[in-house]
Structure formats: C-alpha cells, structure tokens
Amino acid sequence: MDVRIGIRDNARDISFESGLSAKDLMAKVKKAIEASEPVLELSDEKGSIILIPTSSIAYVEIGAEETRRVGFLA
C-alpha cells in the first residue's frame, strides 16, 4: 500500500510502501495524534523504520488496497 506523509514547513513528503492495511495504518496514525505521542513509528515493506514527529504531520495519504492490473484490457 502506498503511503505519503506531508511534513509541515517542508516542500517534500515522505513516501513509502507499507505492509499494513489501510484500516490498521489509519488507526495507528489516529492513535499517535490523539494521544499526543511525540513520535509516530511506522515501517515499510523492506523492514526500514520511519520515525515522524507527530507535531510535524501536515497530512497522511493512504493509497487504495486494490492490486494493480497488468496487461491490456480488451
């Protein structure tokens, strides 16, 4: 699943592929923001850990869970 996280006062966003479902990812982000946790910890499909200060999050964009089709449609 494609994930993009915008950071305040920064022109670039953080983009990565996550193994979590959209529902689980959204719950994790909401919990971190609502509980005023200082850091949101996520990991990508390759196992890299991504730490983001919750106070700096501008937006979170979660891609669709639909798999991509390969080939031509008739």
Side-chain angles (χ1 to χ4, degrees):
M1 160 147 341
D2 292 327
V3 180
R4 286 181 35 185
I5 300 175
I7 305 298
R8 289 187 187 153
D9 301 323
N10 194 336
R12 298 185 66 175
D13 57 14
I14 299 170
S15 300
F16 61 96
E17 293 278 332
S18 175
L20 294 173
S21 70
K23 192 174 189 178
D24 291 340
L25 185 61
M26 191 166 49
K28 195 167 188 173
V29 171
K30 275 185 171 182
K31 180 184 172 222
I33 292 172
E34 290 173 353
S36 298
E37 294 179 9
V39 176
L40 171 63
E41 182 179 328
L42 299 171
S43 60
D44 67 3
E45 287 186 335
K46 297 177 184 176
S48 298
I49 297 174
I50 302 157
L51 301 172
I52 305 161
T54 54
S55 62
S56 298
I57 296 174
Y59 66 89
V60 177
E61 183 180 312
I62 302 171
E65 292 187 61
E66 185 177 309
T67 58
R68 296 179 184 163
R69 295 182 182 167
V70 178
F72 296 97
L73 299 175

